[in-house]
Amino acid sequence: MALIEVRGVSKIFGPKPASVLPLLATGKSKAEILAATGHSVGLRGVDLDIPAGQIFVVMGLSGSGKSTLIRHLNRLIDPTAGEIRFDGEDILRYGRRRLIDFRRKRMSMVFQHFGLLPHKSVVENVAYGLAIQGVGKAERRARAAEWLETVGLAGYGEAYPDALSGGMRQRVGLARALCTDADVLLMDEAFSALDPLIRSEMQDQLAALQARLHRTIVFITHDLDEALRLGDRIAILKDGALVQVGPPAEILLHPADAYVESFVRDVNRVRVLTADTVMKPPRLRITTENLDDALRQMRASPHGFAYVQTGAPGSYGVVTQAELEQAKRSHTPLKNLARELPSVQPGAAVEDILPAALQAEYPLPVVDADGELQGVVTKKAVIEVVADQADARAQRIEAADPAAFREAPPADDAAGAVPAERPARSG
């Protein structure tokens, strides 16, 4: 079961929102409903499952409903219709006191414009959520100091927000949200106000923190590059409706419609796609030291080679059937045969593994954190990614300038000249 379940959530802004719901059911567009009723559609029948421990990105253009959606999750906004469940509980049934407790302890939020209290020191800002929870001063300051160190701001606890750069203030906001140890972290365009370099640094820091903490993070952005860089899953909204939801590779390789395709058109695929998205199922792995058994495994395989663990977990080499047969004749131990290959992690970008994959004689083993062989990356697979990228670029150029892709007529024909008579073919 997902940690957060959104079912059929619609939000209409205006004096009589319930009266507009039947128009949603007929498929009227956001613009049509606004023109006919003066009401604005914020969300339209959204269904979402947000798993625990992942970064779930909601993205779309301005007015798509992404910020409206995130504010439903902590009930800063209530829906006109639909259900929202958190850990199996219907939060729309919460009374005022239960809702306040829910916001204080189960969800925290990082805002686009920092939202720091200017009259409080940095450590007091970070500890603010704990103060609201009633945690003692000494404990909350100690916990706040730990989080400041975690986000790279050790020593800045007694400074005030106006003495910090934009990136440093956003780190304070992130530390404050993490300090309460809430189940879910809501981040609404949290990095969009930052300069590009600082924004990239914050994305790196969030990814590094998530690798350690495994929090449930709902991240709102209008930037596809940011979504692809951070998200375990991505939901794309348009005019309040959910257009597509899935892992980054699925969004990139299989856009649901022209709207999504327009988002992903200019994405550099070799930077986004990872080894686990292009790998093939594992080829034969020999699991025995006995040469007779190894040869039986090899002969039953359609491939003339197999993988062998060569030493430490995660280290793999390759051995051919001919080498096994020679080893049997010369009584050479199997572990002395294998030629080690560079292994790659499942999350490694295709861009990073491209040189090794193209140079290797055999497919590269994809090895997880436990040293287990998960699959192989073939030379053909990485070439296809590069070729798809080139094809997509060519299609964009052709769409922009079709004349550039038309075959020019022969010079004589173009000039109106009559071609010279060709000699007859002999025979």
Side-chain angles (χ1 to χ4, degrees):
M1 182 177 68
L3 181 63
I4 301 172
E5 300 169 274
V6 177
R7 294 290 178 267
V9 166
S10 295
K11 179 63 181 178
I12 310 295
F13 294 99
K16 297 180 180 179
S19 67
V20 178
L21 289 175
L23 293 179
L24 287 183
T26 65
K28 294 288 186 182
S29 70
K30 181 176 181 176
E32 288 172 333
I33 290 173
L34 180 62
T37 70
H39 289 70
S40 178
V41 177
L43 295 173
R44 176 192 292 266
V46 173
D47 290 317
L48 276 180
D49 287 326
I50 300 178
Q54 293 187 0
I55 298 181
F56 190 96
V57 175
V58 182
M59 69 163 296
L61 300 177
S62 178
S64 62
K66 55 189 185 297
S67 292
T68 299
L69 175 60
I70 199 174
R71 282 162 171 75
H72 276 75
L73 302 184
N74 60 1
R75 284 194 56 194
L76 291 176
I77 298 175
D78 279 346
T80 306
E83 297 181 357
I84 302 171
R85 296 187 175 275
F86 184 92
D87 205 13
E89 292 186 354
D90 184 356
I91 67 171
L92 300 180
R93 295 179 178 271
Y94 287 176
R96 181 175 180 274
R97 185 171 296 179
R98 184 102 182 263
L99 181 57
I100 290 172
D101 189 63
F102 172 74
R103 289 173 178 163
R104 286 177 177 175
K105 298 179 179 178
R106 307 297 302 269
M107 284 195 179
S108 56
M109 197 161 189
V110 181
F111 300 93
Q112 178 179 354
H113 296 291
F114 318 130
L116 303 182
L117 302 171
H119 61 286
K120 290 185 178 292
S121 68
V122 166
V123 73
E124 289 170 333
N125 268 280
V126 175
Y128 185 69
L130 297 178
I132 291 176
Q133 292 179 9
V135 177
K137 183 176 180 179
E139 181 183 346
R140 67 178 185 251
R141 285 181 70 92
R143 286 168 60 178
E146 290 176 3
W147 281 110
L148 282 172
E149 184 175 358
T150 299
V151 300
L153 289 177
Y156 286 90
E158 301 309 318
Y160 282 80
D162 61 0
L164 306 181
S165 68
M168 293 169 74
R169 276 180 277 172
Q170 195 58 293
R171 290 172 195 264
V172 175
L174 182 58
R176 179 179 59 188
L178 292 167
C179 192
T180 60
D181 200 28
D183 296 299
V184 176
L185 184 60
L186 305 178
M187 304 185 71
D188 187 8
E189 297 276 11
F191 303 151
S192 63
L194 302 175
D195 292 337
L197 182 59
I198 299 173
R199 183 175 187 171
S200 180
E201 290 174 355
M202 289 300 298
Q203 291 167 357
D204 289 342
Q205 180 157 51
L206 180 63
L209 284 170
Q210 178 65 357
R212 287 172 45 202
L213 302 174
H214 302 290
R215 293 288 180 89
T216 304
I217 300 173
V218 183
F219 192 98
I220 303 297
T221 184
H222 63 272
D223 185 333
L224 181 64
D225 286 334
E226 186 169 66
L228 293 169
R229 185 175 186 181
L230 294 175
D232 295 298
R233 292 179 68 79
I234 300 171
I236 298 179
L237 294 176
K238 179 186 180 185
D239 293 338
L242 182 65
V243 179
Q244 187 172 3
V245 59
E250 181 180 313
I251 299 289
L252 185 60
L253 296 175
H254 307 291
D257 60 13
Y259 178 73
V260 180
E261 190 172 3
S262 69
F263 269 110
V264 305
R265 186 175 295 145
D266 295 319
V267 172
N268 189 337
R269 298 186 180 191
V270 296
R271 291 184 179 176
V272 175
L273 295 178
T274 53
D276 55 355
T277 63
V278 300
M279 70 182 183
K280 306 300 181 185
R283 305 289 174 90
L284 174 64
R285 176 189 170 189
I286 292 176
T287 56
T288 176
E289 290 290 331
N290 184 282
L291 287 172
D292 289 324
D293 292 339
L295 270 170
R296 276 193 290 270
Q297 291 179 12
M298 181 78 81
R299 287 166 181 160
S301 168
H303 307 288
F305 64 93
Y307 294 92
V308 180
Q309 189 163 327
T310 57
S315 298
Y316 285 89
V318 67
V319 63
T320 66
Q321 181 172 330
E323 289 167 340
L324 278 178
E325 290 169 346
Q326 174 60 35
K328 183 180 178 182
R329 289 193 292 269
S330 60
H331 305 288
T332 304
L334 178 60
K335 62 182 180 180
N336 294 344
L337 291 180
R339 288 157 288 157
E340 192 161 336
L341 288 170
S343 60
V344 298
Q345 296 179 339
V350 170
E351 180 180 47
D352 295 332
I353 65 178
L354 185 61
L358 293 178
Q359 293 171 15
E361 185 179 355
Y362 295 94
L364 300 182
V366 181
V367 181
D368 65 16
D370 296 323
E372 293 298 321
L373 183 64
Q374 298 297 309
V376 295
V377 174
T378 66
K379 192 177 300 186
K380 180 182 177 182
V382 296
I383 289 174
E384 285 176 348
V385 173
V386 176
D388 287 345
Q389 184 81 31
D391 287 345
R393 183 175 183 275
Q395 289 170 12
R396 291 197 301 274
I397 295 173
E398 183 176 13
D401 185 12
F405 275 73
R406 294 196 195 105
E407 185 176 349
D412 287 341
D413 289 351
V418 178
E421 185 177 345
R422 292 182 177 88
R425 281 167 45 184
S426 59

